[in-house]
Amino acid sequence: MELISWEDFGAVELRVGTVIEVADFPEARKAAYKLKVDFGADIGIRQSSAQITALYSKEQLLGKQVIGVVNFPTKQIGPFRSECLITGFYRPDGAVVLAIPEQKVPNGSKLA
């Protein structure tokens, strides 16, 4: 494990947003959804590709708050431009469990 400085960690913008749209992403190499996430007035709506189809249906994701990295550069994933990284944890079987706030907080709140 590589150690990072407090300044390195402080540079990562981990923010809370609410999933407002979920669509299938059939062009992805691995099963994924296309998400639109509202990160509040200051950041706005960002889109992301997320490989979370094993544990979450589209209906379960709508309205769910998630934690995303909002200051990565845009990444081209096939025909889709991902503007943030939605965070989660890999289970031993490879499925991803979303990192979510325990209680509802305002969109755009920064992880402390």
Side-chain angles (χ1 to χ4, degrees):
M1 171 176 46
E2 181 181 342
L3 296 179
I4 63 171
S5 69
W6 285 102
E7 291 79 20
D8 291 338
F9 179 73
V12 180
E13 288 288 324
L14 286 156
R15 301 290 183 128
V16 170
T18 300
V19 177
I20 60 170
E21 189 175 307
V22 184
D24 292 322
F25 189 7
E27 303 91 350
R29 279 187 255 154
K30 293 183 180 179
Y33 292 128
K34 293 189 248 184
L35 305 178
K36 284 193 179 175
V37 181
D38 181 357
F39 286 102
D42 290 342
I43 298 166
I45 296 170
R46 301 277 178 98
Q47 60 183 16
S48 183
S49 169
Q51 296 174 353
I52 54 176
T53 59
L55 299 178
Y56 302 95
S57 69
K58 292 185 279 190
E59 295 76 21
Q60 287 174 309
L61 292 168
L62 274 178
K64 183 178 281 297
Q65 285 197 306
V66 294
I67 300 169
V69 179
V70 297
N71 65 333
F72 278 148
T74 300
K75 182 175 182 177
Q76 190 73 39
I77 302 172
F80 185 74
R81 294 177 58 83
S82 186
E83 301 168 325
C84 61
L85 172 71
I86 304 304
T87 60
F89 302 92
Y90 285 108
R91 293 190 332 186
D93 64 2
V96 175
V97 176
L98 287 170
I100 60 172
E102 179 187 26
Q103 297 181 16
K104 190 169 175 95
V105 295
N107 287 341
S109 296
K110 185 173 181 177
L111 182 75

